[in-house]
């Protein structure tokens, strides 16, 4: 009994050690992607504030693509401007949730998507906490305008792009805690199929007549009565 329990414990420990390295690599990937997005967002915002004048567009491609410095009190792409502090709390909860999920990550694609969302959320949270008019109510710096689309920054497309990637992964059967596609449940697949009825299958087949089959050899053994047998009597 002791040997069996020891063996099972060792196998479980070996399984955990095998699963640990991929999770650590995925966590490093998530942190790396988030760090790149956060760095780009912070640097571009600092440059935009220093080099651009509010509400004075600088042309990049005619009037279609311009540098336009605005202060955004809402969410991504200037949505929800009346709920600044609520958006700050929601973004903080998203960051905490991603960090919690990061410890269980196995899929590299989920690590990429969550890293994009984490970096973008952190980039906008920096503005929420450290820019005017004050903590939790700070306005986010936006500086890129394309056509009719609302002015945005680096963090906005990172958050939206990461969210779209995660939705696509879920639709195509890629889970965050497994590598590759989700496998179908073999047990339910077997239960769903109709199994042949052994009893009816046996009854449907014609069984040999055991009685007649036994009598036949006896008659053959007895054979016809010969004249030699009669004279002997």
């Amino acid at each position: 009994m002791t040997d069996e329990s020891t063996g099972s414990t060792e196998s479980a420990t070996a399984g955990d050690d095998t699963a640990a390295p991929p999770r650590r690599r995925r966590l490093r990937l998530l942190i790396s992607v988030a760090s790149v997005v956060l760095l780009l967002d912070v640097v571009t915002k600092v440059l935009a504030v220093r080099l651009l004048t509010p509400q004075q567009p600088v042309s990049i491609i005619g009037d279609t693509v311009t540098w336009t410095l605005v202060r955004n009190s809402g969410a991504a792409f200037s949505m929800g401007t009346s709920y600044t502090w609520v958006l700050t709390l929601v973004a903080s909860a998203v960051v905490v949730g991603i960090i919690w999920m990061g410890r269980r990550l196995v899929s590299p694609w989920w690590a990429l998507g969550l890293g994009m969302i984490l970096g973008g959320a952190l980039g906008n949270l920096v503005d929420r906490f450290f820019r005017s008019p004050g903590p939790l109510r700070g306005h986010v710096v936006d500086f890129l305008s394309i056509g009719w689309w609302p002015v945005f920054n680096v963090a906005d497309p990172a958050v939206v792009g990461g969210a779209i990637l995660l939705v696509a992964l879920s639709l195509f059967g890629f889970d965050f805690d497994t590598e590759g596609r989700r496998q179908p449940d073999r047990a339910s697949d077997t239960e769903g199929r109709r199994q042949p009825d052994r009893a009816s299958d046996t009854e449907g087949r014609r069984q040999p007549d055991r009685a007649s089959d036994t009598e036949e050899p006896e008659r053959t053994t007895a054979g016809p009565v010969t004249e030699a047998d009669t004279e002997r009597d």
Side-chain angles (χ1 to χ4, degrees), residues 10 16 21 30 33 54 62-63 87 95-96 108 125 127-128 130 133 143 159 172 179 197 216 219 228:
E10 290 177 355
D16 293 340
L30 184 152
V33 173
D63 293 332
L87 295 173
V95 169
V96 173
L125 276 178
D127 288 356
R128 298 294 185 199
F130 298 106
F143 53 85
V159 171
F172 286 101
E179 195 162 2
D197 188 353
E216 188 65 29
R219 188 163 51 246

Side-chain angles (χ1 to χ4, degrees), residues 80-160:
T81 55
S82 301
Y83 303 96
T84 305
W85 68 273
V86 176
L87 295 173
T88 303
L89 295 179
V90 171
S92 301
V94 169
V95 169
V96 173
I98 292 175
I99 293 174
W100 178 82
M101 287 182 65
R103 299 177 303 171
R104 303 172 56 197
L105 269 179
V106 177
S107 170
W109 294 107
W110 273 83
L112 175 61
L114 289 174
M116 294 171 62
I117 297 175
L118 179 61
L122 287 174
N124 285 337
L125 276 178
V126 170
D127 288 356
R128 298 294 185 199
F129 281 102
F130 298 106
R131 294 191 184 274
S132 61
L136 297 181
R137 298 176 294 110
H139 292 181
V140 174
V141 174
D142 292 332
F143 53 85
L144 183 59
S145 175
I146 299 178
W148 51 269
W149 198 259
V151 184
F152 59 93
N153 54 39
V154 172
D156 294 340
V159 171
V160 175

